Every structure is written in C-alpha cells, then in structure tokens.
C-alpha cells in the first residue's frame, strides 16, 4: 500500500533490465507531474492540462502502465468534451492517485 492507502501498481515492463532505469525515472517524476496537473487545474488552464495528460498517456503506455494511460485518456476526453469542472476534477483525482501508486516492480 502507498502512503495514501492505495494499492500499488507495477509496470508490466518492470522486470526488463533494459527498461528498468527508464521506468524508475518515470516513476520518480510522478510527484512533480501531479503537482503540475494540480496547478494547471487550479489556474483553470485546461488546454495546457489536456496537453500534459496527453503526454503522460503516451509515456505511461510506453513504460508499462496501461491503467495510467486509461486514466489520462479519461481526463483528456473530459476536457475535450468540455465536461463540468467536477467531472474533470474526479478524473484528475483518479489519475493522480494512480500516479502516486506507480512502482517499477514488486520488490521496490
């Protein structure tokens, strides 16, 4: 369990020795990324938030985190569809929780 009590999620590629260091860097960047997402939402900069989660969507898939890819896609879609703030907020909260739960592999 993470510090916030959520189940940890592991990269599907975490045991690949060629990708392990890259995945570790990706995971270590999560607190920075999520802080940026929070700042963008608070500032009402939805287009920049959409771009940022779009980048995460692709990167998460490349590093073996399809659940993060799906959550990022939900945030992106909510913004594109001009959803109510609360829907965007809920989708972003789920994405942030998943980002904080990301780990390279179980022994980490």
């Amino acid at each position: 369990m993470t510090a916030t009590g959520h189940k940890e999620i592991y990269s599907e590629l975490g045991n690949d020795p060629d990708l392990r260091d890259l995945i570790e860097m990706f995971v270590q960047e999560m607190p920075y990324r999520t802080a940026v997402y929070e700042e963008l939402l608070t500032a009402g900069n939805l287009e920049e938030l959409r771009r940022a989660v779009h980048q995460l969507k692709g990167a998460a898939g490349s590093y073996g985190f399809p659940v993060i890819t799906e959550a990022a896609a939900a945030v992106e879609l909510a913004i594109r569809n001009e959803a109510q703030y609360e829907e965007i907020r809920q989708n972003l909260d789920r994405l942030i929780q998943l980002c904080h739960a990301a780990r390279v592999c179980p022994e980490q």
Side-chain angles (χ1 to χ4, degrees):
M1 291 282 188
T2 66
T4 57
H6 291 90
K7 184 179 173 189
E8 294 172 339
I9 58 170
Y10 301 106
S11 170
E12 295 176 348
L13 306 173
N15 290 320
D16 184 329
D18 295 330
L19 295 176
R20 190 176 181 91
D21 288 346
L22 292 172
I23 297 167
E24 181 64 36
M25 285 190 308
F26 178 73
V27 168
Q28 288 175 354
E29 291 174 352
M30 288 302 191
Y32 168 77
R33 288 176 187 265
T34 58
V36 169
Y37 303 155
E38 286 286 358
E39 289 172 17
L40 291 170
L41 183 64
T42 299
N45 193 340
L46 296 181
E47 182 56 26
E48 192 62 33
L49 176 59
R50 187 196 62 75
R51 279 192 216 110
V53 297
H54 178 81
Q55 289 176 339
L56 176 65
K57 182 176 74 171
S62 298
Y63 292 120
F65 293 102
V67 68
I68 294 176
T69 295
E70 292 169 16
V75 174
E76 184 180 19
L77 185 62
I79 294 169
R80 273 191 197 207
N81 289 341
E82 299 178 4
Q84 294 292 320
Y85 173 87
E86 191 54 39
E87 181 181 340
I88 296 170
R89 172 85 261 172
Q90 288 174 352
N91 282 301
L92 184 62
D93 286 346
R94 178 171 185 272
L95 175 62
I96 288 171
Q97 289 173 352
L98 292 170
C99 288
H100 287 283
R103 301 291 184 272
V104 177
C105 60
E107 58 271 7
Q108 290 256 314

